[in-house]
Amino acid sequence: MDQNRLDYLFSRYTAGEATPEELREFDMLVQQPEHETVLHTKIDQLFLATSGTATMPEKAIQATLQHITGKPASSSVVRYLRRSWWAAAAGLLLTGSSTWLLTRPRYEVVAPLADKAPGSHKAVLTLADGSTVALDSSGQQVIGQQQTTIRQSGGQLQYSVQSPGAVASYNTLTTPRGGQFRVILPDGTVVWLNTASALRYPTAFSGADRTVELQGEAYFEVAANATQPFRVKTAAQEVHVLGTSFNINAYTDEANTVTTLISGRVKVNTPGKDAGVMLEPGQQAIAAHSGSQQLSVTRTFAPDVIAWKNGLFLFDNADLATVMRCLERWYDIDVKYEAKPDIHYTGQIARNQPLSKVIHMLEQTGQARFRLVTAGQGHQAKDMIIILE
């Protein structure tokens, strides 16, 4: 038997590209004892390349046999397959979609990901007419809009109203994953917009109040104006202020929307309800995204909440999933779990570090292993972290 032919058929089969004739030929070769050693080596290489280990996990064995037989494997069968998983894999290889080797989560790794740069100042400004302007840390430009002038200087936008009677239109500032930006609104309120967030606001505050809408996370330093209260609307909360500083975390993939007061006083209520809670500095109002719309109030160390604005990841007994969501947004990556250990992290890491250094710091705790890869092909390729125990 030509060794090159077996190599060719094996690669065609595992890639899912074999023709019916090639499948029949490969089926015949797999059944021949003289090819056992070669198949042993090739399956070892395949499994090691896709999982980083040559030991088939018990969950994988159970899943394979459950799929094939329709019932869980006995403990004796699992022990047998663990001792000689490659032989079982060779026997199961011809079951097509049944085999765990071919149906386990496959990331089609193009190449290991050497590193990933941290996020930076970048955003998209959507004007009232629907046109968009790309913004980054190097931009220097002036954007005219009706009676409003918008100046970009690096990672900041500043609005200036040219006449008191300016007609308000609405702009939206959106940061992608891996981006953040700062905007000074027409009234002088300064907003730091975190990654993967959006702020919708008028180009002039001419009504009885100053209302903006937030998705994601932002830190506000509100310009005082007792005659024109400032309001922030999110899907789960409304925040009413006069002049103060506070942070709102309203990411939809988190369990709660959380408003944290840094200074001054704010009133927080849920949409459609006038009754709310008054916060004092260092307090948080929490609204769950599921269940009742009741607000709960807790006390926290407020500077920790705005660590992101000051260039830090700060984790206080944060679980693995919470940490990974932060990294997903800031480094524009996806996270896949081959295992999801019940672990927590406490500490701070500079947000200007490349991803590899952040991962190294997390691995130093000895609680989990991480692999950086690029998955998929072409325009569908995504950088990701795979988490292993």
Side-chain angles (χ1 to χ4, degrees):
M1 169 71 192
D2 185 354
Q3 178 64 51
N4 291 335
R5 182 62 179 171
L6 183 57
D7 291 344
Y8 170 79
L9 292 173
F10 187 90
S11 63
R12 292 277 291 172
Y13 184 86
T14 55
E17 298 173 350
T19 66
E21 291 76 14
E22 289 170 336
L23 286 175
R24 285 191 290 272
E25 183 181 358
F26 188 54
D27 188 5
M28 178 185 67
L29 294 174
V30 167
Q31 307 304 324
Q32 296 174 6
E34 62 266 28
H35 299 137
E36 181 178 88
T37 300
V38 174
L39 284 170
H40 177 185
T41 301
K42 297 190 73 62
I43 295 171
D44 266 340
Q45 291 170 345
L46 173 64
F47 192 74
L48 186 61
T50 57
S51 72
T53 177
T55 303
M56 193 177 189
E58 181 174 332
K59 289 181 180 178
I61 298 171
Q62 290 280 12
T64 299
L65 297 183
Q66 174 86 31
H67 188 87
I68 296 170
T69 66
K71 59 183 179 180
S74 68
S75 58
S76 60
V77 171
V78 171
R79 286 195 299 271
Y80 171 76
L81 291 181
R82 181 177 296 286
R83 289 195 303 270
S84 189
W85 71 263
W86 64 266
L92 293 175
L93 203 57
L94 272 300
T95 62
S97 62
S98 306
T99 174
W100 181 83
L101 275 175
L102 301 181
T103 60
R104 63 185 294 273
R106 293 192 56 195
Y107 307 112
E108 299 180 20
V109 176
V110 176
L113 177 62
D115 214 341
K116 183 83 173 181
S120 61
H121 294 299
K122 55 187 172 185
V124 173
L125 175 64
T126 303
L127 303 175
D129 62 3
S131 60
T132 60
V133 181
L135 310 171
D136 59 33
S137 58
S138 63
Q140 302 287 333
Q141 59 183 315
V142 177
I143 305 167
Q145 186 180 20
Q146 297 176 344
Q147 296 168 298
T148 301
T149 300
I150 311 167
R151 288 182 172 84
Q152 181 202 353
S153 178
Q156 175 178 285
L157 283 182
Q158 182 166 6
Y159 281 74
S160 300
V161 180
Q162 302 304 311
S163 64
V167 177
S169 56
Y170 280 83
N171 288 180
T172 301
L173 183 64
T174 305
T175 54
R177 296 207 307 182
Q180 64 180 18
F181 224 78
R182 185 167 73 162
V183 57
I184 302 177
L185 299 176
D187 65 336
T189 292
V190 185
V191 184
W192 283 259
L193 196 61
N194 203 352
T195 184
S197 302
L199 184 72
R200 183 176 182 268
Y201 51 88
T203 57
F205 291 113
S206 55
D209 59 24
R210 296 168 288 166
T211 299
V212 302
E213 300 171 21
L214 173 68
Q215 297 175 8
E217 184 171 24
Y219 169 71
F220 295 80
E221 290 184 352
V222 177
N225 184 343
T227 64
Q228 197 178 34
F230 193 93
R231 293 199 305 162
V232 183
K233 290 184 176 183
T234 71
Q237 288 184 354
E238 292 183 4
V239 181
H240 305 252
V241 303
L242 294 177
T244 188
S245 59
F246 58 96
N247 190 87
I248 302 178
N249 183 322
Y251 286 116
T252 56
D253 59 353
E254 299 291 350
N256 307 304
T257 289
V258 182
T259 295
T260 306
L261 184 60
I262 310 300
S263 64
R265 295 186 74 190
V266 299
K267 177 185 177 184
V268 182
N269 61 275
T270 54
K273 294 187 178 181
D274 293 331
V277 296
M278 295 294 297
L279 296 184
E280 296 179 356
Q283 289 185 324
Q284 294 180 321
I286 302 173
H289 292 163
S290 61
S292 70
Q293 290 189 316
Q294 295 296 319
L295 290 171
S296 61
V297 176
T298 62
R299 183 161 290 279
T300 188
F301 184 61
D304 286 357
V305 176
I306 59 172
W308 68 267
K309 181 184 78 71
N310 300 320
L312 294 172
F313 294 112
L314 198 152
F315 305 118
D316 182 10
N317 198 35
D319 63 23
L320 176 65
T322 298
V323 173
M324 289 298 107
R325 287 194 296 272
C326 291
L327 299 189
E328 280 185 310
R329 298 181 196 121
W330 186 234
Y331 290 95
D332 188 18
I333 56 172
D334 287 344
V335 173
K336 301 292 183 185
Y337 296 89
E338 287 197 350
K340 199 169 185 179
D342 182 17
I343 55 179
H344 294 74
Y345 293 95
T346 296
Q348 66 180 37
I349 302 172
R351 278 166 54 115
N352 64 357
Q353 300 283 343
L355 180 59
S356 62
K357 287 192 176 182
V358 176
I359 293 304
H360 177 69
M361 293 177 194
L362 296 178
E363 284 191 324
Q364 290 297 98
T365 66
Q367 300 183 91
R369 292 183 297 119
F370 305 82
R371 187 189 311 145
L372 305 183
V373 301
T374 297
Q377 297 181 353
H379 68 279
Q380 295 182 336
K382 280 294 295 184
D383 296 330
M384 66 170 58
I385 298 175
I386 299 175
I387 299 179
L388 313 162
E389 284 190 294

